[in-house]
Amino acid sequence: MDGSEVCRQLRARSSTPIIVVTARGDEADRVLGLELGADDYIVKPFGTRELIARVRAVARRSNPAPEPDTAQRVGDLEIDRRTRRVIIAGREVALTPKEFDLLALLGDDLGAVVSRQQIMDEVWDPHWYGPTKTLDVHVASLRKKLGDPTWIETVHSVGYRLRDTD
């Protein structure tokens, strides 16, 4: 049986990725191969690196990485990046975009100290030339909105960290 029939039968009973490797390079042949269910189509001659790259690309599309859990939980505190919501003990807390980004950054590596410079680079802008006092103001506001100032710890002369309740 020819490659077209193999592709048609394989696709009818499986979602196994298919890469057609052939000497037939006319547009009609490529379109037919893809229409029959091939995930990619490569014409001879080709380089080994190109073939490897195509295999990897098809594998990525066939087995996408699982969606990361967008919610971070620390005790009663939940930070959901997907919905940009913060909930403490079942109560939603209204935050400004900068406050949310600051809290989410601190929550990325629970208990780790995030330097003032890293916060300014990631939450504000790497080229921020304003006073860094704005960071202190946002931290103070965030602590107040969270209802417990101990959620965010100051590490003097270094930065801040989100407290691990365990």
Side-chain angles (χ1 to χ4, degrees), residues 63-71 82:
N63 299 312
E67 287 292 320
D69 185 7
T70 60
R82 188 178 61 77

Side-chain angles (χ1 to χ4, degrees), residues 81 84 95-106 122-123:
R81 285 181 172 276
R84 294 187 65 85
L95 300 179
T96 67
K98 290 286 188 217
E99 289 168 345
F100 180 86
D101 292 342
L102 171 59
L103 184 60
L105 177 62
L106 294 174
E122 294 189 33
V123 175

Side-chain angles (χ1 to χ4, degrees), residues 19 30 39 42 46 72 96 120 127 151 161-162 166:
I19 300 176
R30 291 191 309 260
D39 296 285
I42 187 167
F46 53 84
Q72 300 159 312
T96 67
M120 294 305 295
H127 306 292
W151 276 108
R161 74 173 144 226
L162 187 61
D166 296 335

Side-chain angles (χ1 to χ4, degrees), residues 149-161:
T150 64
W151 276 108
I152 299 174
E153 294 178 325
T154 301
V155 180
H156 293 288
S157 301
V158 180
Y160 297 95
R161 74 173 144 226

